[in-house]
């Protein structure tokens, strides 16, 4: 294994690959650092807050990174959502009144933000975010969209499915009397494979 960065870099929280094959890396210690690594040149850039530059990265305690179709990335941090513009190498820093736990960009271009107590949906066109109606106040751990334009949301209190087509919200909970129900209501991670099968990592095992 080849080591990244310097000896002082530790506690890597999250990383993702953008459309330009750059690897984005969020480091919690020391000092909540954000890096972009270019595998072809084997060089990396560190993004830091500059009080004289409103378009510098101003986040800390990074919780998520996802690629955008334009080559940029979306980043969530402590009470903020950030959009990196790959063309001019700047950040749009958006203040939000909650701490995001995870994020997802759906097929319509909206950004889904998991919270400690629910879900908010951010529209980049209007620069507004709204809570997902009728969603319970529970911690959101993971979100993913399937081929049928359903948003699946894994939480500490079950699995939820929201249809982008109809707006219907369905809940799936563990039922001890039903062996075909999910193994546990506490869901840590969701994944959909190439065949369209969804996998759930739960406190009760893999579903």
């Amino acid at each position: 294994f080849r080591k990244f960065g310097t000896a002082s870099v530790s506690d890597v929280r999250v990383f993702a690959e953008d459309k330009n094959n750059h690897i984005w890396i969020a480091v919690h210690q020391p000092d909540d650092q954000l890096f972009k690594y270019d595998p072809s040149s084997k060089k990396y850039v560190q993004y830091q807050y500059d009080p004289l530059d409103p378009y510098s990265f101003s986040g800390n305690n990074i919780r998520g990174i996802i690629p955008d179709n334009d080559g940029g990335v979306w980043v969530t941090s402590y009470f903020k959502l950030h959009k990196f513009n790959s063309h001019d190498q700047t950040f749009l820093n958006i203040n939000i009144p909650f701490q995001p736990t995870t994020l997802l960009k759906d097929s319509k271009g909206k950004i889904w933000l998991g919270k400690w107590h629910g879900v908010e949906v951010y529209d980049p066109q209007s620069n507004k975010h709204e809570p997902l109606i009728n969603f319970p106040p529970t911690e959101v751990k993971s979100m993913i969209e399937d081929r049928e334009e359903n948003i699946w949301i894994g939480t500490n209190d079950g699995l939820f499915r929201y249809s982008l087509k109809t707006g219907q919200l369905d809940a799936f909970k563990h039922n001890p009397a039903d062996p075909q129900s999910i193994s546990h209501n506490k869901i840590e991670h969701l994944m959909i494979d190439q065949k369209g099968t969804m996998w759930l990592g739960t406190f009760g095992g893999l579903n």
Side-chain angles (χ1 to χ4, degrees):
F1 289 91
R2 185 162 51 87
K3 303 299 187 292
F4 168 81
T6 66
S8 64
V9 171
S10 63
D11 195 3
V12 175
R13 290 292 178 90
V14 63
F15 47 89
E17 183 179 13
D18 66 24
K19 297 297 181 182
N20 297 317
N21 303 120
H22 298 137
I23 308 300
W24 289 78
I25 304 158
V27 179
H28 185 55
Q29 295 292 340
D31 302 327
D32 290 299
Q33 301 173 64
L34 179 65
F35 296 91
K36 182 179 69 176
Y37 176 70
D38 185 347
S40 60
S41 66
K42 296 182 173 54
K43 295 181 180 180
Y44 61 88
V45 177
Q46 181 179 354
Y47 294 95
Q48 294 178 307
Y49 175 59
D50 179 354
L52 300 179
D53 181 4
Y55 299 105
S56 65
F57 180 69
S58 63
N60 58 70
N61 193 13
I62 298 168
R63 301 302 298 265
I65 304 172
I66 56 171
D68 203 354
N69 296 331
D70 61 5
V73 291
W74 291 90
V75 181
T76 51
S77 69
Y78 191 69
F79 289 102
K80 287 186 178 181
L81 173 66
H82 314 266
K83 174 60 168 67
F84 176 75
N85 187 320
S86 62
H87 302 294
D88 59 14
Q89 303 291 300
T90 61
F91 281 89
L92 172 65
N93 301 295
I94 305 160
N95 294 316
I96 51 178
F98 55 87
Q99 299 180 50
T101 57
T102 185
L103 79 163
L104 166 76
K105 183 181 179 183
D106 70 21
S107 56
K108 308 297 184 184
K110 294 185 178 181
I111 306 299
W112 291 61
L113 300 165
K115 305 191 299 181
W116 294 102
H117 302 287
V119 176
E120 298 263 343
V121 182
Y122 172 76
D123 185 348
Q125 299 299 320
S126 64
N127 194 30
K128 294 181 180 180
H129 57 85
E130 296 180 350
L132 184 61
I133 297 173
N134 297 326
F135 196 82
T138 184
E139 180 184 352
V140 174
K141 307 287 285 189
S142 182
M143 297 183 290
I144 198 165
E145 183 178 353
D146 67 20
R147 299 173 181 175
E148 301 300 322
E149 297 184 359
N150 295 307
I151 306 295
W152 293 87
I153 306 169
T155 76
N156 271 352
D157 190 27
L159 176 68
F160 296 84
R161 179 182 61 196
Y162 179 84
S163 171
L164 293 178
K165 296 177 180 178
T166 66
Q168 181 174 332
L169 180 67
D170 299 304
F172 301 85
K173 299 292 186 77
H174 172 64
N175 181 355
D178 181 5
Q180 299 299 314
S181 68
I182 59 177
S183 298
H184 199 284
N185 284 334
K186 190 170 184 179
I187 298 168
E188 291 293 321
H189 191 67
L190 303 174
M191 184 196 78
I192 296 178
D193 64 23
Q194 293 181 352
K195 296 181 179 180
T197 301
M198 185 168 67
W199 298 74
L200 288 73
T202 80
F203 263 44
L206 181 65
N207 293 187

